[in-house]
Amino acid sequence: MPASFDIKPLSGALAAEVTGLDLSVKHDEPTMEAIRKAFLEHHVLVFPDQALEPEQQIAFTTWFGAVEPHPLGSRRGVEGFPEVLVIENRPGRPGARNDEWHSDITCSERPPALSVLHALEVPWNRGDTMFCNMARAHDTLSQGMQTLLARMWALHSAESLVRRNNEPGTDALPIAVCPPPAVHPVVRTHPESGRKALFVNASFTISFEDMTRDESAPLLAWIADWSTQHHNIYRHRWQAGDVVMWDNRAVMHNAVHDYDDTDTRLMHRTTAAGDRPV
Ligand code: SIN
């Protein structure tokens, strides 16, 4: 018998809340398949009231793919668990900012399929995370724009991540070498659902293939504006104990930076390995 749980959509655009399921214990395959189905439908799942030790967060994430440390060592891991990234803002030591629309680590040849973020401590009514639906952004384009973008590829570079991390004074770790950019299709097809989604973002995409950055900038900016319209967004207000998982193949996210270094915001992040985007 699969465990019983409730799923409630959280906005018209994407995301659903899953209640009645304790993620710290191992669930049977039918239960995990039901979660996967909900995840593919809603792209972002919110599990409130969880208390996960690092090994439990790894075990949950592993169900969706191999859990790996950040390929560039962007932040410290939990002691003994390098694959559990600590994202932390604390009094006197600000956290490195993530308040730009992105999906995780698209500078890599095989960006992570999904990310799981567990909130341990959050500032009162601040530090939300926004998500936008890149599959819906694709599907609502005109036929002409879909055809144009389907033929295009883009370069994704770690250069702005390296710049950010090499600024001292935050929780980010320095990165010595910036790897060459990865080249990904501008429209990718989800390996599990078959849905198409736009796949460029402000943090990593530097240009379209065979075009200059100047030539690329207007269309990249237009895609960003199109994808992040209000009706295409879910904004998550964190409570300590929340676990939120998002599909990097179908959404972008943006960590709202409306707190300062008097606030504590402490999160643990794991990622499940993904395929080369096609
Ligand atoms: C991230 O960009 O992976 C972290 C998001 C957050 O801190 O809310």
Side-chain angles (χ1 to χ4, degrees), residues 97-200:
R97 299 175 72 135
N98 274 326
D99 54 337
E100 204 169 43
W101 285 103
H102 64 287
S103 53
D104 285 323
I105 328 179
T106 65
C107 56
S108 142
E109 295 290 332
R110 290 183 167 74
L114 59 97
S115 304
V116 177
L117 196 59
H118 186 21
L120 302 178
E121 214 175 326
V122 288
W124 175 245
N125 285 351
R126 293 181 201 172
D128 297 354
T129 304
M130 300 189 291
F131 299 90
C132 73
N133 185 338
M134 297 298 272
R136 191 175 194 238
H138 170 269
D139 293 350
T140 51
L141 288 169
S142 66
Q143 192 57 55
M145 188 58 113
Q146 286 185 12
T147 304
L148 174 72
L149 295 181
R151 292 197 299 259
M152 297 176 78
W153 292 69
L155 272 60
H156 294 242
S157 168
E159 63 190 40
S160 77
L161 178 72
V162 172
R163 234 184 348 261
R164 183 200 73 176
N165 277 42
N166 291 348
E167 283 284 318
T170 73
D171 68 331
L173 300 178
I175 299 171
V177 178
C178 184
V183 183
H184 297 308
V186 170
V187 177
R188 72 178 292 179
T189 303
H190 198 290
E192 294 175 70
S193 69
R195 276 193 80 178
K196 291 186 189 309
L198 298 175
F199 194 62
V200 288

Side-chain angles (χ1 to χ4, degrees), residues 198-232:
L198 298 175
F199 194 62
V200 288
N201 68 82
S203 292
F204 295 107
T205 313
I206 52 172
S207 66
F208 296 110
E209 194 180 39
D210 299 329
M211 288 173 66
T212 67
R213 293 187 190 212
D214 276 359
E215 289 165 345
S216 306
L219 182 52
L220 286 173
W222 187 87
I223 295 172
D225 287 348
W226 174 260
S227 306
T228 59
Q229 293 174 88
H230 295 173
H231 64 259
N232 200 36

Side-chain angles (χ1 to χ4, degrees), residues 46-112:
V46 175
F47 302 87
D49 296 324
Q50 305 291 329
L52 298 187
E53 295 300 328
E55 57 269 43
Q56 294 167 330
Q57 181 166 343
I58 293 170
F60 174 70
T61 311
T62 300
W63 208 87
F64 301 95
V67 177
E68 297 167 340
H70 193 290
L72 300 176
S74 167
R75 305 194 200 224
R76 79 177 170 90
V78 172
E79 183 86 40
F81 299 96
E83 47 307 48
V84 182
L85 235 59
V86 180
I87 296 180
E88 184 185 30
N89 189 87
R90 63 174 147 79
R93 213 286 321 280
R97 299 175 72 135
N98 274 326
D99 54 337
E100 204 169 43
W101 285 103
H102 64 287
S103 53
D104 285 323
I105 328 179
T106 65
C107 56
S108 142
E109 295 290 332
R110 290 183 167 74

Side-chain angles (χ1 to χ4, degrees), residues 12-38:
L14 74 167
E17 184 181 70
V18 179
T19 49
L21 202 62
D22 177 0
L23 300 186
S24 70
V25 298
K26 191 171 182 317
H27 291 287
D28 59 12
E29 197 157 327
T31 304
M32 294 307 292
E33 280 305 332
I35 294 176
R36 185 200 298 280
K37 186 165 168 283

